[in-house]
Amino acid sequence: MDLIGAFVLLFVVMDPLGNVPIFLSVLEQVEPERRYRVLARELLLALAILFGFLFGGQYLLAALHLSQYSISVAGGIILFLIALKMIFPVPRAMRDDLEDEDDEPFIVPLAVPMVAGPSAMAILLLLATRHPDQIGIWSLALFLAWLATAIILGAAPLLKHVLGRRGLIAMERLMGMLLVAIAVQMFLEGITEFLGEYAL
């Protein structure tokens, strides 16, 4: 995987278009003059967490004695489940676990899991363990994907006005279809590498 491929994959799993309605809903409870400050803080926290997984993930896997094959297969399964939820979304009333609406959000739910979610963490673990010599490329891909996500979420009110609710849903489902293909490929690569390593 190259820089562009890693960027696209990370951008899709961060799912900024799908997160626009959630960010708008959560930030509605924040005083208007503080909304962009809170958004910037949460995005920076998410970036720090993701970089932590990128640089420290391989040591975590070594401590747990997990192979890159298991991470590849597990990452593919996680991405597939995330993609299914993007294509066939669960009604928000059934999955709301947001904190008390009188509280200002901190880390949860905006930084984690909305931006720095389990799928993005799994991808970073996979990239860092399979190609540790390209950590600079993965760092750049992560920063670019995060920057694109930050721009989209910062422009959330405008996007909702231009695209509308149906437009946002359509874009999220298209990204979900792309993520299904990526997830299947990742799963098959993990299985193929495992069989190639241990076959005869």
Side-chain angles (χ1 to χ4, degrees), residues 6-190:
F7 162 75
V8 171
L9 179 55
L10 287 168
F11 176 76
V12 170
V13 298
M14 287 181 187
D15 190 21
L17 290 172
N19 287 334
V20 162
I22 298 175
F23 269 69
L24 289 174
S25 176
V26 173
L27 291 175
E28 276 182 2
Q29 315 303 327
V30 180
E31 296 178 3
E33 62 273 13
R34 284 190 51 80
R35 286 176 186 170
Y36 279 101
R37 190 178 305 173
V38 170
L39 176 61
R41 182 192 67 203
E42 297 301 299
L43 287 169
L44 288 174
L45 285 171
L47 181 63
I49 292 169
L50 291 173
F51 267 114
F53 267 82
L54 178 62
F55 286 98
Q58 53 188 322
Y59 304 107
L60 176 62
L61 293 183
L64 296 175
H65 304 289
L66 296 175
S67 69
Q68 65 182 30
Y69 315 118
S70 62
I71 295 300
S72 182
V73 172
I77 294 173
I78 291 174
L79 288 185
F80 186 76
L81 294 176
I82 294 294
L84 287 182
K85 290 175 68 176
M86 292 170 68
I87 299 172
F88 306 106
V90 177
R92 196 170 163 229
M94 297 175 60
R95 59 185 172 90
D96 255 349
D97 56 355
L98 304 182
E99 69 277 4
D100 189 338
E101 59 185 24
D102 292 330
D103 296 333
E104 182 176 288
F106 182 68
I107 300 181
V108 178
L110 301 185
V112 180
M114 293 294 100
V115 177
S119 52
M121 295 175 186
I123 292 300
L124 292 172
L125 286 174
L126 179 64
L127 292 174
T129 53
R130 295 185 67 177
H131 304 285
D133 56 318
Q134 298 182 353
I135 199 73
I137 294 178
W138 310 144
S139 298
L140 180 58
L142 171 58
F143 177 76
L144 292 176
W146 172 86
L147 182 61
T149 298
I151 291 172
I152 290 175
L153 292 176
L158 177 62
L159 283 174
K160 186 177 181 181
H161 176 72
V162 172
L163 296 177
R165 180 174 175 274
R166 291 184 182 275
L168 289 173
I169 291 174
M171 292 296 294
E172 183 180 16
R173 290 184 179 177
L174 287 174
M175 293 173 70
M177 290 295 296
L178 175 61
L179 196 56
V180 166
I182 295 174
V184 171
Q185 180 178 351
M186 183 180 299
F187 180 84
L188 292 178
E189 284 179 355

